[in-house]
Amino acid sequence: MSEKEKFSAEQKIINIAVIAHVDVGKSTLVDALLKQSNIFHQNQVIVEQIMDNNDQERQRGITIYSKNCSIMHGNTKINIIDTPGHADFSSEVERIMKTVDCVILLVDSVEGPMPQTRFVLQKALEHNLNPILMINKIDKKDQRIEEVKDEVLELFMELNANDEQLEFPTLYGITKQGIAQYELNQSSENLEPLFETIIKHAKISKLVKYNEPLQIQISSLDYDSFIGRIGIGRLFQGTISEGQEIIVVDDYDLKRKAKVKYLFVYQGLKRVAVKNAVAGDIVCIAGIENITIGNTICDKDNVVPMEPITIQAPTMSMNFLVNNSPFSGTEGKLVTSNKIKERLTRELETNVGLKIEQLSESNADGFKVFGRGELHLSVLIENMRREGFELGISKPEVVFKKDEKGHTTEPVEEIILNHPTEYSSTVINNLNLRKGIMTNMDSDNVRDKIIFHIPTRGLIGFGHQYVNITRGTGVMVRSFLTYEPLKGEINNNRNGVLVSMITGTTLPYALNSLEERGTLFVKPQTKVYEGMIIGLSNRDKDLDVNPCKAKKLTNTRSSGNDEAVRLTPPTIFSLEESLEFIASDELVEVTPQNIRMRKKLLTENERKQNRNRK
């Protein structure tokens, strides 16, 4: 028996991915799988959503990047990939599908299949994976498990699942308590039914071949300050050893020699150095310069590259510009075009859903960055500002495409809205004006669930408006649906803004007089500059104002004149809200310390001349 055959006989390796819509419990399930596999020390402090170890993932409460870990169950090694549930990070799901043997599809017992459920399930079925369905949160009072099972089955059929895929096993669980059970009336104390189902149901990918020449495809990247860039991917064929000479093939079929300097596999949450690894496992390789996602690592005497990893094209773009405001360079240390280009190029190496283009020569100090949505791009912007960058960001724009007949098409999304019944008429009217088409509506006379198909253009700026309409009680989820013919002009109905006509520091006296003209975005003692947006006007036109005007001093003192000014607390926008709010002639100024909104043309004269030219 060869060494490869001996290893595969002793230890079975299964790779699984946990997929679902956002907030269904993927990361919580991975936590429970890790805990019940006893990978933690007895006195070790364990945080929730342990796989969400990125700062923004912790703060936003979502998974942004696909991440790996592994557990042992008997003689079976199970590599687990925790995936994002938000539609904007779908590329993180797409790039790992080829590396797994099976997916666990989590569905909420109340919500049922959601827009992103369709997307991730479709990708799994396209890769001929046989999912395991787990209906989660079965302890909810308003659970509707039987209806959800039927809805999932209908979804499988709509996505043209084959006969084997339609025979998916169904489990029921409460991931927060670490419980999975075969039947609703069969109690359980742990996840053993899920472990047993994975081992029984997961079939090793037909691409995995033990006795063939080496073949690995890189599906993810990491970086270590000591050993440099690390390529992560599934070992589809043969074995690999530390120090082995290999051939790296890129997406353009260019070949180059390299050597495996370091070799790791996953044990629990850690990467562990090994001398050898065999087909079926997920390996981490270091020491290969410029390795990137999609590269194939082959035996030096048998070069057979794998098909490139295909990712759905971006649907939205923003311009990343050098910050040219009067405050440029006062808060950030990375402000030049070269530094921005260097950072964006580095991001392309790991963020496969991203694309960048240099703007025209007339506007060389900027880049058009394409992504999967506002959140996808805003995560990148937030990372850059935390690293010390200053940027000017333009209003998001959708990416149009030409169909086979040469007609222009635009991206259309499905959105699901859940809010109190009293707000439905206003919400529906607003979405109709944005060229949305309602496809379904359910109501229990307390809350309504409404489904719309709407152009992505129509959703720009709607998120903040929806929060205001529903007084913060509404929940909206969205997912890319398809490209359709242009829907015509869309009016997003935003009022004009209050624009500072002076550079200085805001004063209570001036802000008090401006409150009757609109809603303020700044508080007293805020530094502002000419052209900076300081509020939303009550009228549909922009208004130039002086927020730094001081009260005139006189020798006469009258009763009541010197009382303290009481101002309404200003409206503070997050980065995403700012990007939604701005108009086409405005920018968001992003620095490590502040997020400001401003006019592209800062002076009133420049804006007047520009209007006259039009």
Side-chain angles (χ1 to χ4, degrees):
M1 182 181 288
S2 70
E3 199 64 36
K4 294 175 233 178
E5 292 169 331
K6 181 180 177 184
F7 190 95
S8 60
E10 289 177 352
Q11 185 186 61
K12 182 180 180 182
I13 300 173
I14 298 173
N15 298 331
I16 64 168
V18 185
I19 61 174
H21 186 76
V22 69
D23 286 337
V24 176
K26 297 180 303 302
S27 298
T28 306
L29 174 60
V30 175
D31 283 356
L33 289 167
L34 290 167
K35 289 174 186 175
Q36 294 187 25
S37 300
N38 300 315
I39 72 159
F40 300 111
H41 303 304
Q42 187 173 357
N43 297 322
Q44 185 173 346
V45 177
I46 305 168
V47 298
E48 292 184 353
Q49 284 83 47
I50 195 168
M51 296 287 282
D52 291 342
N53 50 19
N54 176 273
D55 287 344
Q56 285 206 62
E57 289 179 322
R58 286 274 172 207
Q59 290 163 10
R60 294 174 183 267
I62 60 173
T63 301
I64 296 174
Y65 307 103
S66 292
K67 290 176 284 295
N68 302 67
C69 64
S70 81
I71 56 178
M72 291 295 300
H73 194 79
N75 288 328
T76 302
K77 179 181 181 181
I78 304 175
N79 286 313
I80 304 171
I81 304 177
D82 184 20
T83 67
H86 200 287
D88 281 29
F89 309 111
S90 298
S91 58
E92 292 288 312
V93 180
E94 290 175 277
R95 67 179 171 81
I96 58 89
M97 278 298 176
K98 199 188 290 187
T99 69
V100 299
D101 305 302
C102 178
V103 294
I104 300 172
L105 177 66
L106 272 186
V107 178
D108 189 285
S109 67
V110 178
E111 293 178 343
M114 299 291 276
Q116 185 66 358
T117 313
R118 171 183 286 271
F119 177 85
V120 295
L121 178 59
Q122 182 179 15
K123 293 301 174 184
L125 298 178
E126 286 174 357
H127 283 80
N128 296 314
L129 299 173
N130 297 329
I132 297 168
L133 172 64
M134 184 167 172
I135 298 178
N136 192 26
K137 305 179 183 179
I138 60 173
D139 56 332
K140 283 188 173 181
K141 292 181 180 179
D142 49 350
Q143 56 85 3
R144 47 185 197 91
I145 294 170
E146 293 304 320
E147 294 96 321
V148 168
K149 283 172 62 178
D150 291 340
E151 289 171 6
V152 173
L153 181 58
E154 287 176 12
L155 181 57
F156 269 77
M157 291 189 289
E158 285 176 22
L159 296 175
N160 299 317
N162 60 39
D163 292 341
E164 190 175 8
Q165 289 169 331
L166 286 170
E167 294 297 323
F168 56 87
T170 301
L171 297 172
Y172 309 90
I174 310 171
T175 57
K176 203 163 188 179
Q177 298 178 22
I179 293 172
Q181 52 197 60
Y182 290 112
E183 301 292 343
L184 284 171
N185 56 4
Q186 291 181 354
S187 61
S188 171
E189 296 179 353
N190 51 40
L191 292 173
E192 190 60 30
L194 179 58
F195 283 116
E196 292 174 356
T197 304
I198 291 170
I199 293 169
K200 180 181 177 182
H201 183 72
K203 295 181 179 178
I204 304 300
S205 169
K206 293 178 181 178
L207 294 172
V208 175
K209 298 170 184 174
Y210 296 99
N211 298 308
E212 297 291 332
L214 170 67
Q215 195 179 59
I216 299 170
Q217 186 164 48
I218 302 302
S219 59
S220 184
L221 293 176
D222 202 352
Y223 184 83
D224 185 281
S225 56
F226 293 103
I227 60 178
R229 192 183 299 183
I230 301 170
I232 304 169
R234 186 169 196 176
L235 178 48
F236 287 98
Q237 291 185 183
T239 61
I240 190 168
S241 304
E242 185 181 79
Q244 182 175 341
E245 293 183 351
I246 54 165
I247 297 293
V248 180
V249 187
D250 66 16
D251 289 350
Y252 302 99
D253 208 30
L254 296 175
K255 305 172 181 66
R256 56 192 172 90
K257 293 181 181 179
K259 187 176 182 179
V260 178
K261 192 174 286 186
Y262 302 99
L263 181 65
F264 305 89
V265 296
Y266 284 97
Q267 287 185 13
L269 295 167
K270 298 178 181 177
R271 284 194 294 259
V272 178
V274 293
K275 296 294 182 183
N276 306 285
V278 298
D281 211 347
I282 291 178
V283 297
C284 308
I285 301 167
I288 303 173
E289 288 188 8
N290 300 321
I291 194 166
T292 190
I293 290 171
N295 286 178
T296 305
I297 294 174
C298 304
D299 187 275
K300 64 176 182 176
D301 298 319
N302 196 302
V303 181
V304 182
M306 299 185 72
E307 290 184 10
I309 295 173
T310 56
I311 300 295
Q312 197 177 79
T315 58
M316 186 168 285
S317 70
M318 299 177 191
N319 293 340
F320 284 40
L321 308 169
V322 171
N323 183 23
N324 63 357
S325 86
F327 294 168
S328 174
T330 60
E331 298 174 359
K333 56 185 179 180
L334 301 169
V335 297
T336 66
S337 177
N338 286 339
K339 289 293 183 183
I340 296 171
K341 183 178 181 180
E342 182 183 303
R343 176 63 179 83
L344 292 175
T345 303
R346 191 165 73 247
E347 184 71 20
L348 287 177
E349 296 173 354
T350 56
N351 197 334
V352 291
L354 206 69
K355 192 175 110 180
I356 67 169
E357 289 179 0
Q358 177 92 39
L359 291 176
S360 62
E361 291 184 7
S362 60
N363 192 2
D365 286 342
F367 305 87
K368 186 174 281 292
V369 183
F370 300 83
R372 297 289 279 269
E374 290 160 278
L375 183 59
H376 182 207
L377 292 171
S378 69
V379 166
L380 169 59
I381 296 167
E382 181 63 29
N383 281 334
M384 291 178 69
R385 73 183 286 250
R386 293 182 185 195
E387 293 165 16
F389 282 88
E390 287 190 6
L391 298 164
I393 309 294
S394 72
K395 180 182 176 66
E397 297 176 346
V398 300
V399 178
F400 300 105
K401 285 171 55 175
K402 297 284 187 182
D403 62 14
E404 299 81 3
K405 297 180 180 179
H407 300 143
T408 302
T409 62
E410 65 176 322
V412 173
E413 299 188 32
E414 180 177 78
I415 61 169
I416 298 179
L417 308 119
N418 192 306
H419 51 255
T421 302
E422 61 191 281
Y423 303 124
S424 284
S425 59
T426 307
V427 170
I428 292 170
N429 182 58
N430 199 295
L431 289 172
N432 286 337
L433 293 173
R434 293 168 177 264
K435 305 297 183 183
I437 298 174
M438 187 167 65
T439 61
N440 193 32
M441 180 174 180
D442 291 319
S443 177
D444 60 7
N445 296 322
V446 178
R447 291 183 73 88
D448 291 348
K449 178 182 176 182
I450 305 173
I451 301 177
F452 264 83
H453 290 177
I454 182 170
T456 302
R457 278 188 303 140
L459 286 175
I460 295 175
F462 177 70
H464 182 68
Q465 200 168 36
Y466 181 64
V467 171
N468 289 335
I469 292 171
T470 62
R471 305 292 191 271
T473 60
V475 177
M476 179 178 73
V477 293
R478 51 191 284 189
S479 180
F480 171 76
L481 195 62
T482 185
Y483 269 83
E484 293 183 3
L486 277 174
K487 306 296 181 182
E489 187 176 347
I490 295 175
N491 184 1
N492 290 337
N493 293 325
R494 193 204 75 177
N495 279 3
V497 289
L498 303 178
V499 184
S500 176
M501 63 195 319
I502 193 170
T503 299
T505 302
T506 59
L507 296 174
Y509 174 79
L511 296 180
N512 185 50
S513 64
L514 292 178
E515 279 197 334
E516 62 187 32
R517 300 188 181 188
T519 304
L520 296 179
F521 301 159
V522 294
K523 59 185 178 181
Q525 301 305 309
T526 300
K527 291 182 179 179
V528 297
Y529 53 79
E530 183 179 8
M532 180 173 157
I533 296 170
I534 64 157
L536 177 66
S537 174
N538 290 333
R539 300 184 178 183
D540 58 358
K541 291 185 178 180
D542 295 342
L543 185 63
D544 293 286
V545 297
N546 181 0
C548 308
K549 185 178 180 182
K551 182 180 178 181
K552 291 183 179 180
L553 298 177
T554 67
N555 293 327
T556 305
R557 178 173 181 147
S558 60
S559 176
N561 282 355
D562 297 325
E563 290 180 2
V565 173
R566 294 184 181 180
L567 296 170
T568 305
T571 300
I572 305 298
F573 283 75
S574 66
L575 175 58
E576 287 83 9
E577 289 169 342
S578 300
L579 293 170
E580 280 190 348
F581 178 83
I582 59 172
S584 57
D585 65 335
E586 297 164 0
L587 296 174
V588 177
E589 179 188 359
V590 177
T591 76
Q593 297 178 24
N594 288 289
I595 295 169
R596 306 180 183 96
M597 292 178 284
R598 49 161 286 193
K599 289 291 182 180
K600 285 182 181 178
L601 302 175
L602 294 176
T603 69
E604 188 177 357
N605 283 337
E606 285 178 317
R607 294 194 293 275
K608 281 181 179 178
Q609 290 172 8
N610 187 61
R611 284 195 294 269
N612 292 334
R613 282 196 295 268
K614 292 179 180 179

